[in-house]
Every structure is written in structure tokens, then in C-alpha cells.
């Protein structure tokens, strides 16, 4: 367990940490151990979805939510997605888990909607992994999910990253075109952090850009972050895309993106990702506030 605590700490500071051979050994052991237990994690219901609220910047109303995977390891406790998502990807398990996430997220969304808890035009965002994007299986998964849950396709946003668009451009074009034809929306996650040209904004059917959270850090002090964030918001709007800021942690960050009329934000300032039950509570509170305001 001490090994794992160290592993998690090291993973976080990977770039500025000198590894010693002993520690590399521990690192490899922990990785192998996590990988083994990950195989059983799904059956044992150790994996669950949390939801982070996304807020309409103008009105302060809930605009949507992003589904985020959580792994509660019985011994280790909470393992960070930054650690277990790459493991899921290496083992190929991400394909199965990713389909489970998609189905779960849409099922939960429809449940909230049917209980009248969601404001009109709310949407749910689901992250896709590059491994899910290499063949047409993703299209079957999306179609099946739409069919099984009955979710309005326009309420579903699939988040992809820039790097997924450069590997096989034709394949990406075909898959995104098909997803779009189903009515499902596409968002670019962590915009500005990948290796790709802006050309893809023209080439692919994209609906949303998400400003990466690294650009929101200390935005009131960092001229560079301020310049990049405002430029991305303006670029998105000039292209007719919606823009979502992630990692809004402070009032200053919120004021900044409000000034530039960023459409939607998510971040610790409003809420972290929370369990389904906590999200239900939040929706109940919101709907009460809204109805008091109207009466
Ligand atoms: P992401 O898709 O960019 O998700 C946003 C991450 O930022 C989440 O981290 C979220 O908890 C975190 N975050 C939100 N607001 C704030 C804030 O104000 N400050 C800070 N410091 N962080 C904030 P999380 O949940 O640890 O997920 C990390 C990454 O793991 C995600 O980044 C996504 O790439 C991946 N991931 C999570 N769930 C899934 C999934 O179901 N499938 C796939 N393929 N990837 C997933
Ligand atoms: Mg995301
Ligand atoms: Mg992101
Ligand atoms: Mg990210």
C-alpha cells in the first residue's frame, strides 16, 4: 500500500522527479498489480461514474454534465483516472469499459430527464479514448446506446482529443461524419494541448471546443494564459462553435471567461465531479431555486 501511495505521488510529478532503480521496480510492480485488479474491477463494481456539473455562464443554470470514471480500489482507495485510464488503454480494456460508460451515462441522463429534474436542452458529455476510435465498433456502440436508452441524440456530446484526429484522418472523418449523422454532438477536449493543425476545425464536423484547464490556472496573473483562453473563445465563436471552459476554480477565472462570453464552464468553483446521488440532490436544489425565482 505504501508502494501505491508512492506510485500515485510519482505519477503526478512524473516530469520533475528523478527515479531510482529501486523505485522503478516498485513502480513496475504496482503497475502490474493495478492492471491485474483492473480486470476484475468492472465485475466487482469498483468502477463507477461521477458527474461534474457544467454551468451556463450567463444564467448560472445547469447546462449539462460530464461523466467521469472513478475507480475505488478495495485496498488502495481512490485511484486517479490519470493512472488507470492509461492502463485501461494499454490492456485494451478501455473499449469494453468505454462502452459501459457510454451506456451508463445515457441511462442516468434519461432517468434524470424522465423525473423532470433537468432544465430543457441539457446535455451529457462522455469521453472517448483513442483506442475506441480506431474502428467502426464505436458506431455500433453509439447506435445501440441511442436505441436502448432512447436518449435524444442531440443531448449526447462525445469528447475526443486533437491527437485522435491526426492518426488516421480518413478514418476519423468517416467515424465523425457517421456520429454526426446520428445527431450526436462532438466536442474537442483539452483544446490547444495536442499536436495538430487548426485545419481540422474546417475538415471535421465539430460542435464544441473545451479550453483545457491548464490555461485557466492563475488566469488573472498569467498574460499567456489570458491571451490563449480569450483567443480560443473568440476562435470558437468565429467558427460558430460553442465553447466550454474546464478547470474554473476561482471567481477571478469565472469573471474572466464571463467577460469573453464563454458559453459554459465547469470546475471546482461550482463543483467537482460528484456521485449520482449527490447530483440528484443538486438538481433538486436547483429546480427549487428556479421555481422560487419564477413565482
Ligand atoms: P478530462 O476529460 O479533460 O476531464 C476533466 C478533468 O478535470 C477531470 O479529471 C475533472 O475532475 C478535472 N477538473 C474539473 N474541474 C477542475 C478544476 O476546477 N480544477 C482541477 N484541477 N481539475 C478539474 P479526472 O476526473 O481526474 O479525469 C482525468 C481525465 O481522465 C479526463 O480528463 C479524461 O481524459 C480521462 N477520463 C475520465 N473519465 C473517462 C472515461 O470515462 N473515458 C475516457 N476515455 N477517459 C476518461
Ligand atoms: Mg473530458
Ligand atoms: Mg478536458
Ligand atoms: Mg484533461
Amino acid at each position: 500500500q505504501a508502494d501505491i501511495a508512492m506510485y500515485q505521488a510519482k505519477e503526478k510529478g512524473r516530469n520533475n522527479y528523478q527515479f531510482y532503480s529501486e523505485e522503478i521496480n516498485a513502480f513496475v510492480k504496482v503497475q502490474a498489480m493495478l492492471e491485474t485488479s483492473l480486470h476484475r474491477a468492472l465485475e466487482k463494481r469498483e468502477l463507477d461514474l461521477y458527474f461534474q456539473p457544467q454551468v451556463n455562464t450567463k444564467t448560472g443554470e445547469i447546462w449539462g454534465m460530464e461523466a467521469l470514471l472513478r475507480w475505488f480500489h478495495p485496498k488502495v482507495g481512490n485511484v486517479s483516472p490519470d493512472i488507470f485510464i492509461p492502463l485501461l488503454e494499454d490492456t485494451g480494456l478501455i473499449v469494453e469499459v468505454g462502452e459501459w460508460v457510454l451506456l451508463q451515462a445515457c441511462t442516468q441522463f434519461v432517468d434524470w430527464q424522465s423525473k423532470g429534474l433537468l432544465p430543457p436542452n441539457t446535455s451529457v458529455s462522455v469521453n472517448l479514448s483513442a483506442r475506441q476510435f480506431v474502428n467502426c465498433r464505436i458506431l455500433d456502440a453509439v447506435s445501440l446506446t441511442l436505441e436502448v436508452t432512447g436518449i435524444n441524440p442531440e443531448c449526447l456530446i462525445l469528447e475526443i482529443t486533437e491527437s485522435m484526429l491526426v492518426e488516421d484522418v480518413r478514418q476519423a472523418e468517416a467515424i465523425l461524419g457517421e456520429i454526426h449523422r446520428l445527431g450526436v454532438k462532438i466536442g474537442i477536449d483539452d483544446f490547444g494541448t495536442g499536436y495538430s493543425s487548426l485545419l481540422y476545425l474546417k475538415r471535421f464536423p465539430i460542435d464544441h471546443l473545451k479550453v483545457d484547464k491548464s490555461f485557466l490556472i492563475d488566469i488573472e496573473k498569467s498574460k499567456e494564459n489570458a491571451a490563449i483562453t480569450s483567443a480560443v473563445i473568440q476562435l470558437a465563436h468565429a467558427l460558430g462553435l460553442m465553447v466550454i471552459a474546464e478547470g474554473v476554480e476561482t471567481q477571478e477565472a469565472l469573471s474572466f471567461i464571463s467577460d469573453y462570453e464563454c458559453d459554459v464552464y465547469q470546475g471546482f468553483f461550482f463543483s467537482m465531479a460528484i456521485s449520482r446521488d449527490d447530483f440528484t440532490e443538486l438538481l433538486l436544489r436547483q429546480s427549487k431555486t428556479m421555481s422560487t425565482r419564477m413565482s
Side-chain angles (χ1 to χ4, degrees):
Q1 230 152 321
D3 278 357
I4 288 161
M6 190 171 81
Y7 177 86
Q8 297 223 47
K10 300 286 158 56
E11 268 291 288
K12 271 194 182 145
R14 222 211 270 252
N15 297 331
N16 48 25
Y17 196 88
Q18 269 310 120
F19 282 97
Y20 298 101
S21 64
E22 216 175 291
E23 285 164 343
I24 293 176
N25 262 333
F27 185 90
V28 170
K29 258 197 305 202
V30 171
Q31 192 153 11
M33 190 277 279
L34 285 178
E35 225 172 271
T36 314
S37 42
L38 201 49
H39 277 277
R40 294 187 313 257
L42 245 189
E43 303 161 26
K44 289 185 174 167
R45 296 167 175 266
E46 290 166 18
L47 291 181
D48 198 8
L49 275 190
Y50 268 39
F51 293 87
Q52 184 174 39
Q54 298 171 310
V55 183
N56 180 323
T57 310
K58 237 187 212 151
T59 65
E61 259 192 86
I62 303 270
W63 178 85
M65 71 278 307
E66 178 174 9
L68 292 162
L69 255 181
R70 293 291 176 262
W71 182 18
F72 302 100
H73 190 286
K75 292 206 194 98
V76 183
N78 205 342
V79 184
S80 162
D82 292 329
I83 289 170
F84 74 80
I85 298 281
L87 291 179
L88 283 172
E89 279 169 346
D90 292 347
T91 53
L93 280 170
I94 191 70
V95 175
E96 195 187 329
V97 172
E99 290 173 5
W100 177 84
V101 168
L102 184 63
L103 185 64
Q104 285 290 314
C106 293
T107 304
Q108 180 61 69
F109 180 86
V110 169
D111 185 57
W112 280 323
Q113 202 170 43
S114 67
K115 288 179 174 139
L117 289 169
L118 299 179
N121 305 318
T122 310
S123 60
V124 59
S125 294
V126 174
N127 293 285
L128 290 189
S129 145
R131 283 290 290 261
Q132 290 176 271
F133 211 67
V134 290
N135 57 45
C136 295
R137 189 169 155 167
I138 182 65
L139 295 176
D140 296 334
V142 173
S143 311
L144 189 72
T145 301
L146 295 179
E147 205 180 298
V148 169
T149 63
I151 188 173
N152 175 352
E154 309 236 321
C155 295
L156 175 60
I157 301 168
L158 297 178
E159 293 189 2
I160 60 173
T161 54
E162 293 160 284
S163 55
M164 288 157 72
L165 299 174
V166 294
E167 264 163 42
D168 186 341
V169 176
R170 286 188 173 212
Q171 173 90 328
E173 201 165 36
I175 294 179
L176 290 184
E178 198 54 33
I179 288 176
H180 215 245
R181 212 185 50 81
L182 293 169
V184 172
K185 306 272 186 225
I186 293 152
I188 303 294
D189 206 353
D190 308 334
F191 182 75
T193 63
Y195 297 96
S196 60
S197 73
L198 290 173
L199 208 59
Y200 74 83
L201 293 174
K202 234 171 73 176
R203 178 157 190 175
F204 299 109
I206 290 157
D207 306 285
H208 308 272
L209 290 189
K210 291 188 81 170
V211 186
D212 189 66
K213 60 176 180 285
S214 62
F215 300 128
L216 272 292
I217 296 171
D218 286 334
I219 199 161
E220 67 280 9
K221 282 183 235 132
S222 161
K223 273 195 194 125
E224 291 83 5
N225 280 355
I228 293 168
T229 299
S230 57
V232 171
I233 296 170
Q234 284 162 0
L235 173 68
H237 285 163
L239 291 166
L241 309 177
M242 281 205 71
V243 57
I244 302 170
E246 65 175 24
V248 172
E249 294 187 358
T250 60
Q251 178 61 60
E252 287 76 21
L254 178 56
S255 305
F256 184 92
I257 59 153
S258 300
D259 287 346
Y260 285 92
E261 298 184 11
C262 180
D263 306 286
V264 176
Y265 75 94
Q266 62 189 85
F268 298 167
F269 182 70
F270 186 83
S271 169
M272 308 171 69
I274 52 181
S275 71
R276 299 150 196 262
D277 288 351
D278 288 345
F279 207 101
T280 306
E281 286 293 311
L282 173 72
L283 291 171
L284 282 168
R285 277 203 306 277
Q286 279 265 141
S287 61
K288 266 185 210 144
T289 328
M290 292 299 161
S291 53
T292 345
R293 252 192 239 167
M294 288 201 291
S295 59

